[in-house]
Amino acid sequence: MDLMPGPDERVSPEQLEAWRAFDRAHSHVARQLEADLTELHRLPLAWYEVLARLAEAEGHRLRMSQLADKVMLSPSGLTRLVDRMISEGLVRRVPAEKDGRGFYAALADEGQRRLDEAAETHERGVRDYMVERFTGDELAQLTSYLRRIIE
Amino acid sequence: MDLMPGPDERVSPEQLEAWRAFDRAHSHVARQLEADLTELHRLPLAWYEVLARLAEAEGHRLRMSQLADKVMLSPSGLTRLVDRMISEGLVRRVPAEKDGRGFYAALADEGQRRLDEAAETHERGVRDYMVERFTGDELAQLTSYLRRIIE
């Protein structure tokens, strides 16, 4: 039995380069957003994302499992992150009263304030480091390509 | 003086969604590659990338600064990573004799062996999680969009 992949199993140099360009471009944007938010607002990018997702949610709160999905962290990674944000007063822990299982993470007033303070920096970064390099049509096409990867 | 951004300074919901789709799609691919490489070959994705970049380099070695640029790590982050790979026998430290400054990271025989062992898993992942979702023309266009972000 031949365990070597056939020619159709290999990725071409162009295909490998597509992944590397993807990885590099993502790192390029994320590192600059992280640097701006950390330097100007002492707010790591992951913290910003948690605050932004809570602010958008109904009642400004989300179950930990919903939040983990939105910010793409493992349950244990999110628990560690949220524990630190609770200890800094940015997030509150709210028991899920109806069924007694688990709890919600809720946006605290101080979290809303820090989010408001940092939002312009985040938007400027998203614009400068990514979206302004494309026309509206190009950005729509890029987004549709990216969604195809997620599906 | 009005410090609020004007309308043209805000990002639209579609523009914010483009960044979020980018972040999510990248996480989707990277986490699956990481899981496959770790489970099947006990090789984290960052280790695989270091081995692959060294294997491609002339003389199978790179200056630490060159390697840091290729794998998008900070100098201190790369030093910690390479130190662990040296202690596992995958990388060797080679003094830069000509000018006496710094050193090269060089691929060790065991590193080449582990890379060869894991390469098919990595290629299968790049194909399954990303590139096979696109025609050749689409992938070329996606790559060109991604390069525009890096420039």
Side-chain angles (χ1 to χ4, degrees):
Chain A
M1 183 177 159
D2 187 357
L3 286 175
M4 292 295 287
D8 59 326
E9 299 287 320
R10 310 299 306 205
V11 296
S12 69
E14 291 74 24
Q15 290 174 322
L16 180 60
E17 180 50 32
W19 157 243
R20 287 184 171 180
F22 189 26
D23 198 26
R24 177 170 290 270
H26 180 268
S27 171
H28 191 75
V29 178
R31 287 173 71 169
Q32 290 182 100
L33 288 177
E34 175 90 31
D36 292 349
L37 288 169
T38 305
E39 284 166 23
L40 297 174
H41 307 289
R42 293 167 294 106
L43 203 60
L45 180 57
W47 292 41
Y48 182 89
E49 294 289 351
V50 165
L51 295 176
R53 299 303 183 142
L54 292 177
E56 291 163 13
E58 198 183 327
H60 287 187
R61 63 186 196 175
L62 286 168
R63 282 189 175 279
M64 289 293 280
S65 56
Q66 295 170 311
L67 184 55
D69 179 59
K70 286 180 189 294
V71 299
M72 296 163 289
L73 284 175
S74 64
S76 62
L78 180 68
T79 297
R80 280 193 300 275
L81 176 59
V82 166
D83 283 349
R84 287 200 304 275
M85 296 180 74
I86 289 172
S87 75
E88 290 216 14
L90 308 187
V91 173
R92 290 179 301 114
R93 190 188 305 264
V94 179
E97 290 159 16
K98 277 192 183 146
D99 54 13
R101 286 181 290 118
F103 64 91
Y104 291 98
L107 189 64
D109 290 345
E110 174 67 7
Q112 181 75 61
R113 196 188 65 73
R114 295 284 298 278
L115 175 65
D116 292 342
E117 197 180 83
E120 192 186 336
T121 297
H122 184 261
E123 294 201 12
R124 185 191 304 122
V126 168
R127 197 183 60 232
D128 290 355
Y129 306 138
M130 180 181 174
V131 304
E132 78 169 6
R133 298 170 189 222
F134 304 99
T135 67
D137 284 351
E138 288 171 341
L139 197 68
Q141 179 158 45
L142 174 57
T143 305
S144 108
Y145 285 156
L146 294 167
R147 289 207 178 109
R148 228 190 275 175
I149 292 173
I150 301 164
E151 277 156 14
Chain B
M1 183 179 159
D2 187 359
L3 286 173
M4 291 294 287
D8 60 325
E9 297 287 320
R10 310 297 309 201
V11 296
S12 69
E14 292 72 26
Q15 290 174 322
L16 180 60
E17 181 49 32
W19 157 243
R20 288 184 170 180
F22 189 27
D23 198 27
R24 177 170 290 269
H26 179 268
S27 171
H28 192 74
V29 177
R31 288 174 69 168
Q32 290 181 99
L33 288 177
E34 175 91 30
D36 292 350
L37 288 169
T38 306
E39 284 166 25
L40 296 174
H41 307 289
R42 293 165 293 107
L43 203 60
L45 180 56
W47 292 42
Y48 182 89
E49 294 290 350
V50 165
L51 295 175
R53 300 301 184 144
L54 293 177
E56 291 163 12
E58 199 184 326
H60 287 186
R61 65 185 194 174
L62 287 169
R63 282 188 176 280
M64 289 293 280
S65 55
Q66 296 172 309
L67 184 55
D69 178 61
K70 287 180 189 294
V71 300
M72 295 163 290
L73 285 175
S74 65
S76 61
L78 181 67
T79 297
R80 281 194 299 274
L81 176 60
V82 166
D83 283 349
R84 287 201 303 276
M85 296 181 73
I86 288 172
S87 74
E88 290 216 14
L90 308 188
V91 172
R92 289 180 301 115
R93 191 188 306 263
V94 179
E97 290 160 16
K98 278 192 184 145
D99 54 15
R101 285 180 292 119
F103 65 92
Y104 290 98
L107 189 64
D109 290 346
E110 176 66 7
Q112 181 73 63
R113 196 188 66 71
R114 294 283 298 280
L115 177 65
D116 292 343
E117 199 179 81
E120 193 186 336
T121 297
H122 184 261
E123 294 201 12
R124 186 191 303 122
V126 169
R127 197 182 60 234
D128 290 356
Y129 306 136
M130 180 179 174
V131 304
E132 78 168 6
R133 299 170 188 222
F134 304 98
T135 67
D137 285 350
E138 288 170 341
L139 197 68
Q141 180 157 44
L142 174 57
T143 304
S144 108
Y145 284 156
L146 294 167
R147 288 208 180 110
R148 228 190 276 175
I149 292 173
I150 301 164
E151 278 155 11

